[in-house]
Amino acid sequence: LKLSLPDDEFQVFLKKKRKPLGTPIILDFVEIDNTSRLSSRVLRSFINIEEGSALNIQKLEEDISKIYGLGIIEKIDYHILQKGDKTGLVLEVVEKSWGPNYIGFGYNFYSNLNGSNEYIIGFNLTRNPVNSYGGEWKNEFEFGAKDRFFSEFYQPVDRHMNYFVAPNFEYKREDIDTYESGHDFAKLR
């Protein structure tokens, strides 16, 4: 079985498939192959390429760096895809393989060299993203001379992540030194 086209038809076929160097690629579609917990709609809002416009690699790279700036994405690959007579851009988005839960620990020790010593042991837990719009839940705990619990839920309310609400709650209890005639009198909690 021999497959071939007459020379003139083959030249027409090549012209359709090959574009001269420097010819801009006009995009008919932009697709996002998304395996992250962020919604594709949110990711797409960072890519400022409209269908029917020419591909600008420098602008695309700038848009991609904004997505990386969210701190949630490990890798973004992109390629041009031909579907019939349509040319499109496909972005493959992969969420970080580490996280999204982050735990931190800390220890503070204070001394005034007069025999008064205090310590604080603390830890925090941050979970990001907790939903497809990039919500983040942060909790901080401290125990010792000062007891503290802080919790905040940061929630973007638009797909561009320009606007957000961040309700929070904080509980504190700390020692207060009282003095009488210049001497320690008592510690109040």
Side-chain angles (χ1 to χ4, degrees), residues 6-7 11 13 23-24 40 48-49 62-63 77 82 87 90 95 103 110 117 128-129 139 144 146 161 175:
D7 192 46
Q11 292 304 321
F13 171 78
T23 302
S40 294
N48 295 307
I49 296 175
E62 289 171 9
D63 293 345
D77 288 330
Q82 195 72 38
T87 303
V90 178
E95 187 172 320
I103 298 175
Y110 304 95
N117 302 315
N128 182 23
N139 294 288
K146 174 172 73 170
M161 302 176 107
D175 294 340

Side-chain angles (χ1 to χ4, degrees), residues 19-34:
K19 294 188 181 201
L21 291 177
T23 302
I25 298 172
I26 305 300
L27 298 173
D28 298 307
F29 62 91
V30 176
E31 289 181 3
I32 297 183
D33 181 8
N34 179 19

Side-chain angles (χ1 to χ4, degrees), residues 103-122:
I103 298 175
F105 296 95
Y107 178 78
N108 289 322
F109 179 76
Y110 304 95
S111 177
N112 66 4
L113 303 176
N114 291 328
S116 177
N117 302 315
E118 296 178 351
Y119 70 91
I120 297 174
I121 297 172

Side-chain angles (χ1 to χ4, degrees), residues 56-75:
N56 180 331
I57 297 294
Q58 182 179 350
K59 181 66 179 136
L60 175 62
E61 291 286 341
E62 289 171 9
D63 293 345
I64 286 174
S65 33
K66 290 176 189 172
I67 295 173
Y68 278 125
L70 298 174
I72 300 167
I73 303 303
E74 179 176 339
K75 180 175 80 169

Side-chain angles (χ1 to χ4, degrees), residues 26-56:
I26 305 300
L27 298 173
D28 298 307
F29 62 91
V30 176
E31 289 181 3
I32 297 183
D33 181 8
N34 179 19
T35 60
S36 77
R37 280 181 280 170
L38 284 178
S39 78
S40 294
R41 187 174 168 213
V42 167
L43 293 169
R44 178 66 175 97
S45 73
F46 284 89
I47 305 299
N48 295 307
I49 296 175
E50 298 302 321
E51 294 163 355
S53 67
L55 176 61
N56 180 331

